Structures are given as C-alpha cells and as structure tokens.
Amino acid sequence: MSTSEEPAPAGVVHRHIPPASLARLTIYLRALGALLADGVERVSSDELAEAAGVNSPKLRKDLSYLGSYGTRGVGYEVSYLSDQISAALGLTRNWRVAIVGAGHLGKALAGYPGFGSRGFEVVALLDADQMVIGQEVGWLRVSPVKDLEGVVQRTRANMAVLSVPADVAQELCDRLIESGITSILSFAPVVLQVPDHVQLRKVDMATELQILAYHAQRAQASEIAAKARARLGT
Amino acid sequence: MSTSEEPAPAGVVHRHIPPASLARLTIYLRALGALLADGVERVSSDELAEAAGVNSPKLRKDLSYLGSYGTRGVGYEVSYLSDQISAALGLTRNWRVAIVGAGHLGKALAGYPGFGSRGFEVVALLDADQMVIGQEVGWLRVSPVKDLEGVVQRTRANMAVLSVPADVAQELCDRLIESGITSILSFAPVVLQVPDHVQLRKVDMATELQILAYHAQRAQASEIAAKARARLGT
DNA sequence: TGCTGTGAAAGCGTTCACAGCG
DNA sequence: CGCTGTGAACGCTTTCACAGCA
C-alpha cells in the first residue's frame, strides 16, 4: 500500500487520492482536531464517521488510500491519524495566501479563524478602491491591486483567493498567474479560463442557492401532488 | 421525454435531474443571462459549452434531462432555453432568504448582486451582537437573532443562510428548522445534523483551500522528482 | 472477539459515436 | 449538411461482506 510511482523524493508521495475522498479527508481532519481539543486519544471508524457525517465503510475506504494507520480491534490514535492526513494533504508546508478584493467577502476571509491555523497564512490583502487601500484588517494593511505583481513577489504568496466582482475577475486571475500563482480559489460568479498547470477552484453561492431552490420546489410539488391524490382518494 | 411520474399537478415536474448536471445547469443559466444581455438570440451547444467551461456532449446531455428545447441544425434560442432552465430549477417561484449572522460574510451575502435577481430576495438579516443589531445594510435593518422565530414568521422566509461561527451553528440550525425552514445553506465549518426532510448544503473554504494545497504539493513533488531524474540522467 | 482494511459488485456520471431532424 | 438528442460503453464512487490482525 501507499506506494510512490517514481523512486520517491524524500517524502512519500501517495498515488492519487480520488477527488471525492480528498474532499472528505479535510472533514475528517477537522473532526479529529475537535477530538484532539477535547482530549480524546482514540476513535473507532464508527465514531469518527458519525462525527464527520458519513458511514463508516466509506470512511475506512477513504483512509485506506493513505495507508493503514489504524489498529485492528482498537481503532485510530487521534493525533497520529491527524498528522498522517495533514501530511497527505500537504498541510505541513506553509501556504502563503494573497486575498484579492477587500470588500466584505475579502475581509471575512482575511479574518477567517480556521485560516491562520492548519498551514495557511494570509500574507496580503489587495483592493482597487482608494477608500479601502491602506485600511488595517487584522494584522494586514490593504495594498493597491495596481501593484499586485510586486506584492505577490514581496510576500512570496503561493496561493490566491479572488473575492472581486465578476467583471474584473478574469483580468486579475490572468495577472495572478502571470505573477507565478498556480493555485486559485475564486468566489467570483464567472467561468474563469486558466492554463492547465493552474489549479482553479470555485465557490459559487448563486449555484448553491439554486440547487436548494430546485430541491425545495420538488418537495413542494410532490407534497401538492400527495394532497391532490388524497383528495381524489376520499 | 420529460415525463412526469404522477398525473402531474399543473407545472411539469421533471423526473430527477442528476446532482452533477444540476450544478452545471446553474452555470449554463448564468452564461445564457450574459448572452441575453449582449443581445445574442441563438447559441449552438458548442458555443454555450465553451462559455460554461464544459464540453458540448456533456452540455447536451445535461439539457436532455429537461427536454428537447433545441432546433437540430440550428441551436438553442437563448431566452427560451433560459426560461426552461429557470423553470426546471424552480426559480420562477420567489424565494425569501433569511441570513443568520451579520458579520463580514453575512453582509457580503446580503449585498451579493446575483442574489436579488433570479428569484431570490433577502428578507432578513440577523445577528446576536448588540453593536450590529439595528445597523442598516442595504435595504435591511439587522434584527436580533433572539427573535429568530418571530422574524422568520413575519418575513415568511423559506430559505436560510447560516454565516455564523461554528460553535453556535448547530443551535441556530435547529431553531431555523423549528421555525419551519427546510432549505439551509451553511458557511459554518462544522458538520450539521439535520432531519431528512431538510435540505442542507455546505460551503467550506477550509476544505477548498486544503484541496488546492494537496494539488499544489503534488505538482511540486513531481517537479522535484523530474529534476532529480534529469540530474541522474545527465 | 472487535474493529480495521480491502476486493468485488453495484450504482452513477461522463464520454462517444451516431442516429434523427430541420 | 449541421447540430441536436441519446443509447451504449467506459470509468469512477460507493457499498458491502468478510478476510485479516491485535
């Protein structure tokens, strides 16, 4: 298990964690953190699965992509498993995040608690608005987005968050990539074009709400249908 | 095509759109809106797919879950297709959204532009902090979260957004459900427990960043491996 | 005996090639 | 002839049952 595909350079590089598992591993990590804070030393897959809101075979399968870190008949040691997941996700490195756009969203992100911890550090906060530039937000001062390239270089940022209006998102995305950033998390409600070597993830609130609306509408519709059927039945 | 499972009460209820398609349909809708604003009347699946960042067979498959709204040899009429997707997603109803938590994130959401349009209306903004209660945010005044039940009832909210700290999220989630809300979008970094009839969706920035970190780490690792190989090769 | 780790089967989602109309 | 609509094949996820250790 947990073989590397090449002679392996120093650290163990795991062979491909499926995207669906990857997303859940971050949830397990958070649940383990909570257990650790509570002083819990061991968990079974059932308990951890419960805390993470999944079923236990799925959790065990997910963990099996990393290796065998449990003890049969006993369970998992909380701190050890937490470390192993962190390592597999690349959270032992220190990621330096530049937040582009210092509106309410950008400020919310800059102040996000689970952000500073877990290997992420916000090293820059940028905005185009003269009224906002120079403001202090937490430990940071808002830099002019005009100087994006310089700021990225000086702060050695290696990740970026885009929290800007849709109409300027592509332009700023291009400039980030030009500056050497290859990992971008975008909150802008537009489809961004990026080259293959750049990792782009999107968070889209409009999409989320619309999906909720779809389910709510269906629930309502089938409720109405049920009532109609009941009326006809009696 | 597009059959309904029961005698069909008034509007056509489509038989189950796959989750993955559903998420993409919201993107197509946005792209169609942009085309509409530009005065474009017709699109081919190739063009729309390009705008939405997917390949065209996938787009056509997605649209086929709704019905056959295109013209072979020609393409799709922008406004008609837009209406059909809106109808299928339940965006013809008016959704009344209560935002719980008026920190930076809550305020950002309250002011979100693509929010007011497309059938969503923010009808309440609540917070626990005395300093924030009573503040005006856009057209709204922040209400005390203590009166959540009353506010939900008075405003006839039928959806809620949770933008509160993790430690109070479950409690407020329970109160929302108690108040009759069955669709909740949570930004709190915790696993929330909800009954089956409630639709809960989560947006988790920590998860997104960690997924980016994983890919960035892998890219780096394989780069290092490549360099090592190059050195050994020469 | 108890709980982990995992192959094998079932269920979804995506891709593709092409049939079907305008 | 062009572009849509779709069945069938493929690949990825999830589920399950149970083999494997402590």
Side-chain angles (χ1 to χ4, degrees):
Chain A
M1 267 298 90
S2 83
T3 52
S4 48
E5 46 214 305
E6 301 289 334
V12 179
V13 178
H14 297 279
R15 188 193 291 275
H16 172 74
I17 300 173
S21 285
L22 187 52
R24 286 189 299 267
L25 283 167
T26 68
I27 307 298
Y28 306 154
L29 194 54
R30 182 182 291 149
L32 287 167
L35 290 172
L36 208 56
D38 288 356
V40 179
E41 290 183 3
R42 270 199 294 271
V43 260
S44 66
S45 61
D46 274 334
E47 292 162 348
L48 186 53
E50 159 94 39
V54 301
N55 54 24
S56 61
K58 190 185 276 184
L59 177 135
R60 290 200 300 274
K61 189 77 178 178
D62 288 339
L63 294 182
S64 80
Y65 291 118
L66 308 184
S68 305
Y69 298 130
T71 308
R72 290 166 199 240
V74 179
Y76 303 89
E77 202 197 318
V78 174
S79 72
Y80 181 64
L81 182 58
S82 177
D83 288 349
Q84 293 302 326
I85 297 179
S86 288
L89 297 188
L91 302 178
T92 47
R93 278 178 186 64
N94 251 45
W95 299 102
R96 305 171 62 80
V97 183
I99 299 177
V100 183
H104 277 307
L105 183 54
K107 284 175 184 159
L109 294 164
Y112 187 59
F115 216 22
S117 70
R118 281 284 166 228
F120 295 97
E121 186 188 351
V122 181
V123 295
L125 184 54
L126 301 104
D127 205 284
D129 186 345
Q130 280 298 337
M131 299 292 289
V132 178
I133 294 169
Q135 275 185 16
E136 281 192 27
V137 178
W139 295 272
L140 287 168
R141 189 177 291 276
V142 178
S143 307
V145 83
K146 205 172 60 177
D147 189 28
L148 185 143
E149 290 77 3
V151 170
V152 167
Q153 194 158 35
R154 276 197 295 283
T155 58
R156 302 194 319 285
N158 50 13
M159 271 197 185
V161 174
L162 266 180
S163 48
V164 298
D167 56 336
V168 293
Q170 181 67 61
E171 179 205 330
L172 290 168
C173 180
D174 292 344
R175 285 177 62 192
L176 283 168
I177 296 167
E178 193 66 35
S179 309
I181 299 283
T182 55
S183 301
I184 299 173
L185 176 58
S186 171
F187 288 82
V190 269
V191 176
L192 296 175
Q193 308 290 341
V194 299
D196 284 347
H197 72 280
V198 174
Q199 281 290 327
L200 173 71
R201 293 191 64 86
K202 278 165 286 180
V203 170
D204 191 326
M205 313 189 263
T207 289
E208 296 301 326
L209 280 177
Q210 289 175 11
I211 293 173
L212 280 175
Y214 170 77
H215 291 298
Q217 175 218 29
R218 298 209 98 220
Q220 250 172 262
S222 64
E223 205 180 292
I224 291 166
K227 275 193 190 140
R229 238 176 298 128
R231 247 199 313 283
L232 290 169
T234 45
Chain B
M1 266 300 85
S2 82
T3 51
S4 48
E5 45 213 305
E6 301 290 335
V12 179
V13 179
H14 298 278
R15 189 193 291 274
H16 173 73
I17 301 172
S21 286
L22 187 52
R24 286 189 298 267
L25 283 167
T26 68
I27 307 298
Y28 305 154
L29 194 54
R30 182 182 291 149
L32 287 167
L35 290 172
L36 209 56
D38 288 355
V40 179
E41 291 184 359
R42 270 198 293 272
V43 261
S44 66
S45 61
D46 274 334
E47 292 161 350
L48 186 53
E50 160 93 38
V54 300
N55 54 25
S56 60
K58 190 185 275 182
L59 179 135
R60 291 201 299 274
K61 188 76 176 181
D62 288 339
L63 293 182
S64 80
Y65 291 117
L66 308 183
S68 304
Y69 298 129
T71 310
R72 289 166 199 243
V74 179
Y76 303 89
E77 202 196 318
V78 175
S79 71
Y80 181 64
L81 182 58
S82 177
D83 289 349
Q84 293 301 326
I85 297 179
S86 288
L89 297 187
L91 302 178
T92 47
R93 279 179 187 59
N94 250 42
W95 299 102
R96 306 171 62 79
V97 182
I99 298 177
V100 183
H104 277 307
L105 183 55
K107 283 175 185 158
L109 293 164
Y112 187 58
F115 216 22
S117 70
R118 280 283 167 227
F120 296 97
E121 186 188 352
V122 180
V123 295
L125 183 54
L126 301 104
D127 205 284
D129 186 347
Q130 281 297 337
M131 298 292 289
V132 178
I133 294 169
Q135 274 185 16
E136 282 193 25
V137 178
W139 294 274
L140 287 167
R141 190 176 291 276
V142 178
S143 306
V145 83
K146 205 172 61 177
D147 189 28
L148 184 144
E149 291 77 2
V151 170
V152 166
Q153 193 158 36
R154 276 197 297 281
T155 58
R156 304 195 316 286
N158 50 13
M159 270 196 187
V161 174
L162 266 180
S163 47
V164 299
D167 56 336
V168 294
Q170 181 66 62
E171 179 205 329
L172 290 168
C173 179
D174 292 345
R175 285 176 63 191
L176 284 168
I177 295 167
E178 194 65 34
S179 308
I181 299 283
T182 55
S183 301
I184 300 173
L185 176 58
S186 171
F187 287 82
V190 269
V191 176
L192 296 174
Q193 307 291 340
V194 299
D196 284 348
H197 72 280
V198 174
Q199 280 291 327
L200 173 70
R201 292 191 64 84
K202 277 165 290 182
V203 170
D204 191 326
M205 312 187 265
T207 289
E208 296 301 325
L209 280 177
Q210 290 174 11
I211 293 173
L212 280 176
Y214 170 76
H215 291 298
Q217 177 219 28
R218 299 208 99 222
Q220 250 173 262
S222 61
E223 203 180 293
I224 291 167
K227 273 189 193 148
R229 238 178 296 127
R231 247 198 312 282
L232 291 168
T234 45

